[in-house]
């Protein structure tokens, strides 16, 4: 059974006339009869009733039943043909720490999902170590993190650096430039930090380590700054997001904490079927990092 035979049968069911069917199909009447005979032989049953020498036909019971099957078969064939002409969607799995997903790369993800670039994007949030574990096991394709960790098959490519600043309530009394000695750890909301920050933090507040509170997601941090004297040291890109949705004061530190470095992490042994999608993402990421939206968020 082929498409020509099925289409010929369906045209005959509409016209009930072999001559008109032949005309509509731009073939001879004998060709129409030949296609139908071959179709009936393939199916092993009679579909049409035609008196000798007559052009008008009627359907057998099997012919009536076959109309629905033939219609579905033709539709499925057309869908298959369309599918073969379309570029296959490439699945790409990206994982990042919560703060980068929320404050830095959300616009990039939105553009990728909204554009017709043949990528099916899946984004998740994890701790840095988990991201490296997932890269190592090929469970994700790209990681975005603030840590360069040593893993046998993980490659960390530096993307950008940004400074740390102090955020506090708009009504707080902290000046525009503040010294660490002027910050009480009893008022601190410690946010997730890079290892280098822990060393810097311990240097200034070594004897007050049990006094601060802590949160581990940006959404939790957002809820804390109705409290007048509370403060936190965060990357500037978190502070910029706070400015837009929650009035905060941003103070520079007179003794700068370590910079926050962002890395794109991938497996050194890339899966061949993922190469094209990873390349598309990397090109989009590079272009995004030149936009005003991105640049204004990290300065």
């Amino acid at each position: 059974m082929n498409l020509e035979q099925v289409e010929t049968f369906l045209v005959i069911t509409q016209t009930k006339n072999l001559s008109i069917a032949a005309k509509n199909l731009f073939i001879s009447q004998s060709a129409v009869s030949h296609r139908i005979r071959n179709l009936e032989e393939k199916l092993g049953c009679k579909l049409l009733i035609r008196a000798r020498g007559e052009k008008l036909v009627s359907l057998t019971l099997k012919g009536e039943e076959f109309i629905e099957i033939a219609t579905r078969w033709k539709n499925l064939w057309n869908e298959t043909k369309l599918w073969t002409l379309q570029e296959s969607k490439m699945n790409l799995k990206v994982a990042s720490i919560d703060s980068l997903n929320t404050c830095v790369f959300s616009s990039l993800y939105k553009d990728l999902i909204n554009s017709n670039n043949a990528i099916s994007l899946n984004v998740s949030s994890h701790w840095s170590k988990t991201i490296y574990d997932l890269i190592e096991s090929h469970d994700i394709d790209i990681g975005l993190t603030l840590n360069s960790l040593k893993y046998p098959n993980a490659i960390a490519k530096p993307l950008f650096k940004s400074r740390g600043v102090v955020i506090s309530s708009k009504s707080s009394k902290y000046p525009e430039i503040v010294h660490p000695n002027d910050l009480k750890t009893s008022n601190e909301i410690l946010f997730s930090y890079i290892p280098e920050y822990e060393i810097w933090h311990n240097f200034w507040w070594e004897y007050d380590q049990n006094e601060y509170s802590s949160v581990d997601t940006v959404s939790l941090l957002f809820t804390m700054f109705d409290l007048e004297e509370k403060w936190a040291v965060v990357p500037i890109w978190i502070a910029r997001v706070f400015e837009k949705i929650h009035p905060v004061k941003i103070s520079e530190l007179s003794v700068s904490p370590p910079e926050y470095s962002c890395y794109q992490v991938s497996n050194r042994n890339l899966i061949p079927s993922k190469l094209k999608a990873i390349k598309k993402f990397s090109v989009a990421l590079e272009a995004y990092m030149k936009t005003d939206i991105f640049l204004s968020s990290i300065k």
Side-chain angles (χ1 to χ4, degrees):
M1 185 167 71
N2 59 41
L3 180 62
E4 286 182 345
Q5 294 167 353
V6 171
E7 285 184 329
T8 300
F9 170 78
L10 289 172
V11 171
I12 291 172
T13 64
Q14 295 164 4
T15 63
K16 301 294 192 302
N17 186 298
L18 295 182
S19 179
I20 296 175
K23 185 178 180 180
N24 290 346
L25 291 166
F26 301 100
I27 59 176
S28 66
Q29 186 173 324
S30 61
V32 169
S33 298
H34 180 70
R35 289 180 182 180
I36 293 300
R37 280 197 304 271
N38 287 341
L39 178 59
E40 290 176 331
E41 287 175 6
K42 287 287 185 182
L43 296 175
C45 62
K46 203 75 173 168
L47 299 174
L48 302 178
I49 301 172
R50 182 184 64 166
R52 184 178 297 275
E54 292 184 5
K55 297 177 181 179
L56 294 177
V57 297
S58 58
L59 297 174
T60 65
L61 182 57
K62 281 292 186 183
E64 294 282 0
E65 294 173 347
F66 188 61
I67 292 176
E68 183 181 348
I69 296 172
T71 302
R72 293 205 310 267
W73 194 94
K74 183 182 177 182
N75 289 340
L76 184 59
W77 176 271
N78 290 336
E79 287 178 21
T80 303
K81 198 66 178 176
L82 181 62
W83 168 76
T84 61
L85 296 174
Q86 290 176 336
E87 183 178 3
S88 296
K89 274 275 188 179
M90 296 174 289
N91 183 273
L92 188 68
K93 296 180 180 179
V94 177
S96 176
I97 60 172
D98 168 73
S99 55
L100 284 174
N101 271 345
T102 303
C103 301
V104 179
F105 295 118
S106 60
S107 293
L108 170 64
Y109 302 149
K110 183 178 180 180
D111 289 343
L112 283 169
I113 290 171
N114 190 46
S115 65
N116 184 23
N117 59 8
I119 291 181
S120 177
L121 188 64
N122 298 276
V123 182
S124 56
S125 297
H126 300 281
W127 298 110
S128 290
K129 183 181 183 306
T130 302
I131 290 172
Y132 277 86
D133 289 338
L134 293 171
I135 285 288
E136 194 76 8
S137 62
H138 284 294
D139 287 316
I140 61 171
D141 306 306
I142 292 175
L144 298 165
T145 178
L146 297 180
N147 293 287
S148 178
L149 305 181
K150 291 185 177 181
Y151 272 68
N153 296 304
I155 300 175
K157 172 188 173 183
L159 292 179
F160 66 89
K161 292 183 178 181
S162 57
R163 69 190 186 280
V165 295
V166 175
I167 56 172
S168 59
S169 167
K170 200 74 174 176
S171 61
S172 73
K173 299 177 182 178
Y174 300 116
E176 291 184 4
I177 301 176
V178 62
H179 192 280
N181 285 336
D182 298 326
L183 297 169
K184 294 182 179 179
T185 52
S186 57
N187 289 324
E188 182 183 14
I189 306 295
L190 183 66
F191 189 61
S192 301
Y193 47 76
I194 54 177
E196 296 84 354
Y197 179 78
E198 182 177 7
I199 297 171
W200 185 88
H201 186 275
N202 290 345
F203 174 82
W204 289 104
W205 300 292
E206 180 181 3
Y207 302 108
D208 302 321
Q209 292 301 300
N210 295 321
E211 293 190 13
Y212 58 78
S213 302
S214 65
V215 296
D216 64 358
T217 67
V218 170
S219 57
L220 280 173
L221 193 62
F222 282 161
T223 67
M224 299 296 164
F225 287 91
D226 289 333
L227 305 171
E228 186 172 335
E229 295 305 316
K230 296 300 179 184
W231 60 271
V233 175
V234 298
I236 185 62
W237 29 270
I238 291 180
R240 294 298 182 219
V241 171
F242 265 59
E243 274 187 317
K244 295 176 182 176
I245 62 176
H246 193 298
V248 291
K249 179 181 290 185
I250 299 176
S251 302
E252 301 290 341
L253 282 152
S254 59
V255 182
S256 300
E259 287 187 305
Y260 294 83
S261 298
C262 178
Y263 300 91
Q264 177 180 332
V265 187
S266 58
N267 194 299
R268 68 176 67 250
N269 302 307
L270 296 175
I271 298 173
S273 62
K274 295 288 189 175
L275 290 175
K276 191 173 180 180
I278 291 172
K279 176 65 175 176
K280 279 183 174 288
F281 180 88
S282 297
V283 169
L285 174 60
E286 186 176 342
Y288 173 71
M289 289 174 59
K290 295 176 182 178
T291 64
D292 291 339
I293 292 175
F294 172 79
L295 294 173
S296 62
S297 71
I298 64 168
K299 292 183 177 180

